[in-house]
Amino acid sequence: MSEIYTVGVSYHNAPLALREILAVSAEGVAEKLRHLSRRCHLPEAAILSTCNRTEIYCLSDTPEEVVAWLSEATHNHTADISEYIYHLKAEDAVRHLFRVASGLDSQLIGEPEITGQVKQFAQLARQAGFSGTIINRLMEHALATAKAVRSQTDIGKHSLSYPALVVQAAKGIFPDVRDLAVLFVGAGDMALAGVPIFSDNGVRRVAIAGRSHEKTEKVAQRVGAEALAISCLPEVLAEFDVVVSATASQVPIIGKGTVESALSRRHHKPMLFADLAVPRDLESEIQQLPDVFVYHLDQFGKMAEQNSEKRRTAAKRGNAIVEEHTEQFCRWLREHGNRGQVRGFRDSAMHIQAEETKAALARLTAGVAPEQVVEQFAHRLTGRLLHPLTQCARQSKNCTLHHFAEGHRPITFENDQINAPVNTKKIN
């Protein structure tokens, strides 16, 4: 039977350049899932792609095909990446997702954005029709686990978000953050979370530049910021000291020439760029310019390595909650599988009963003695019901009957006890 698998890469060992190549935008999820399911014959699948990871959650009995599919995505860009790809099975895969959704596996322990990202990608898989009973339940349980970790620990109180790290970096560059003008490029979760943090630090101006005028206006009003069009960047960039960029663009949206022009108009007053996007929003050449400070995700990750003792304590409690929820989900999964096996067993038994009843009636019609017909019926029915079970029991104490009856789900033995109850109702 298919198992739950996690296959992916993450910041733990995959460099940012590789994560950029494997990143999947929200708009591209349906097409990627279509290709993945067709290539690897997956009954259910979902993709989670964030700045820190790209992971596939699926039901499969051939995870090596999923690994191969993920590897193929980089063939035109880099050498073999198999050393960076991990795959986790069953309980380990479940536990991993629950830790991810709870912010326990993030570069910034406890960062809140990941829970919303898990929810978003779960919805995308469901809407595209590639997640069914198991993966849907897995994602729902992951979100419930994240909620429990947030409500039952102090991890949210002690988390260090990316915007907070940008403020920390700015304090090391500029004499007084209260004199700064800050621009968020992208009207998404980063702007929603980041603008209040900068406002609390007393910066003199905060603006948001986005593609959609309506969405940008809505977000800006919500957090008390100016709303700008992203197309105006070349004209307004010189007005800002700190630029935090976190869009879903697949190509850089801030070029070297634009930044050079802004520096010239600023008379080379320093600028801080925080590129929090994957793929990156800034052209790589920008970091070579004088008077420019560029920070990427991995650099912020290193800044966040100095976790407080309170946050580590909260994470320990969070991991304990994850273990509890992992056990609950795996128990449900076993019960769900057993129910399917019971249905398969009963369907198979009823099918055999119908065939033997039809054969017995035919023999009666042909004039065979009723006593002989009944004796043959009982013998054949018992033999057909018990044959696959005895064969399996001889081979192994813990086995799966894949062919109890063609087209039906398997029956398992554990400790010499069959999981599916045999229908012992007498046939009159």
Side-chain angles (χ1 to χ4, degrees):
M1 294 178 68
S2 296
E3 293 272 13
I4 294 176
Y5 279 93
T6 300
V7 177
V9 299
S10 76
Y11 74 95
H12 286 296
N13 67 339
L16 179 58
L18 175 57
R19 303 201 308 269
E20 285 181 315
I21 296 170
L22 295 178
V24 180
S25 66
E27 293 78 13
V29 165
E31 179 58 32
K32 289 289 186 183
L33 282 172
R34 225 177 342 263
H35 186 265
L36 170 66
S37 297
R38 184 168 57 247
R39 165 76 164 73
C40 303
H41 310 290
L42 302 179
E44 295 187 39
I47 292 176
L48 172 64
S49 186
T50 74
C51 55
N52 284 334
R53 70 190 70 246
T54 292
E55 294 176 336
I56 299 158
Y57 295 89
C58 62
L59 294 183
S60 176
D61 50 14
T62 55
E64 61 277 3
E65 292 186 357
V66 184
V67 172
W69 180 85
L70 193 60
S71 298
E72 290 169 3
T74 66
H75 280 179
N76 294 329
H77 303 274
T78 186
D80 178 43
I81 66 162
S82 57
E83 64 178 297
Y84 298 111
I85 300 177
Y86 48 83
H87 69 275
L88 306 170
K89 178 182 178 181
E91 184 176 334
D92 290 335
V94 173
R95 180 184 297 106
H96 176 76
L97 174 60
F98 291 2
R99 294 190 74 251
V100 168
S102 302
L104 296 169
D105 194 62
S106 299
Q107 273 189 320
L108 309 181
I109 300 295
E111 56 103 357
E113 291 84 8
I114 185 62
T115 304
Q117 292 168 326
V118 170
K119 182 177 181 180
Q120 177 192 21
F121 279 91
Q123 290 174 338
L124 290 171
R126 186 166 57 250
Q127 291 167 0
F130 290 100
S131 65
T133 302
I134 303 299
I135 296 299
N136 282 340
R137 184 64 174 260
L138 175 66
M139 293 297 174
E140 289 169 2
H141 214 113
L143 295 172
T145 302
K147 183 177 180 180
V149 171
R150 292 280 170 193
S151 62
Q152 297 176 33
T153 74
D154 289 337
I155 198 166
K157 297 179 183 178
H158 304 295
S159 64
L160 192 57
S161 67
Y162 286 114
L165 289 172
V166 178
V167 172
Q168 181 180 326
K171 289 180 177 179
I173 296 171
F174 301 98
D176 192 342
V177 294
R178 292 173 297 180
D179 294 331
L180 301 181
V182 181
L183 174 65
F184 281 83
V185 181
D189 292 340
M190 197 62 68
L192 281 170
V195 170
I197 291 176
F198 275 94
S199 297
D200 289 345
N201 278 270
V203 298
R204 65 178 176 84
R205 180 186 179 190
V206 186
I208 301 173
R211 285 192 174 86
S212 168
H213 174 73
E214 182 179 354
K215 179 181 179 181
T216 305
E217 285 281 356
K218 184 177 179 180
V219 172
Q221 289 178 5
R222 182 174 170 182
V223 295
E226 298 177 43
L228 301 172
I230 206 167
S231 58
C232 296
L233 277 180
E235 290 78 29
V236 303
L237 194 61
E239 302 173 17
F240 296 93
D241 309 287
V242 178
V243 179
V244 183
S245 191
T247 75
S249 175
Q250 297 301 298
V251 296
I253 61 172
I254 301 177
K256 179 183 177 183
T258 300
V259 176
E260 284 180 318
S261 176
L263 287 170
S264 177
R265 283 181 283 157
R266 290 171 58 86
H267 304 291
H268 292 276
K269 181 182 177 182
M271 295 184 74
L272 166 61
F273 288 89
D275 191 345
L276 304 180
V278 175
R280 283 171 280 193
D281 282 339
L282 273 66
E283 287 185 346
S284 58
E285 293 82 3
I286 292 176
Q287 59 191 0
Q288 300 170 3
L289 296 174
D291 306 311
V292 170
F293 298 86
V294 179
Y295 285 78
H296 297 296
L297 286 165
D298 288 352
Q299 291 165 295
F300 285 121
K302 292 176 182 178
M303 290 174 61
E305 286 177 359
Q306 300 175 352
N307 292 336
S308 69
E309 185 59 34
K310 288 184 178 180
R311 206 161 86 208
R312 285 195 292 270
T313 301
K316 289 180 182 178
R317 172 56 186 146
N319 283 321
I321 294 172
V322 166
E323 288 300 321
E324 295 169 8
H325 282 250
T326 298
E327 182 180 346
Q328 291 172 12
F329 178 82
C330 290
R331 188 185 309 123
W332 171 85
L333 192 60
R334 289 192 296 270
E335 293 171 354
H336 177 81
N338 286 342
R339 285 196 298 270
Q341 291 173 358
V342 169
R343 284 195 299 270
F345 184 89
R346 287 176 176 168
D347 289 346
S348 298
M350 295 304 293
H351 179 70
I352 290 171
Q353 174 189 315
E355 287 187 339
E356 292 304 323
T357 300
K358 182 179 180 181
L361 290 173
R363 288 195 291 273
L364 285 172
T365 302
V368 179
E371 295 82 1
Q372 185 179 351
V373 171
V374 171
E375 183 179 351
Q376 289 179 339
F377 172 81
H379 178 75
R380 288 176 57 84
L381 181 64
T382 303
R384 289 187 66 182
L385 287 175
L386 294 182
H387 176 71
L389 305 181
T390 54
Q391 287 292 103
C392 182
R394 288 193 189 104
Q395 295 171 8
S396 173
K397 290 184 178 181
N398 298 294
C399 63
T400 299
L401 292 181
H402 290 285
H403 304 292
F404 174 72
E406 185 176 351
H408 291 292
R409 304 182 75 166
I411 302 159
T412 61
F413 285 88
E414 291 182 1
N415 301 321
D416 293 327
Q417 298 294 319
I418 185 170
N419 286 336
V422 178
N423 186 352
T424 57
K425 181 179 179 180
K426 293 182 179 179
I427 301 174
N428 297 319

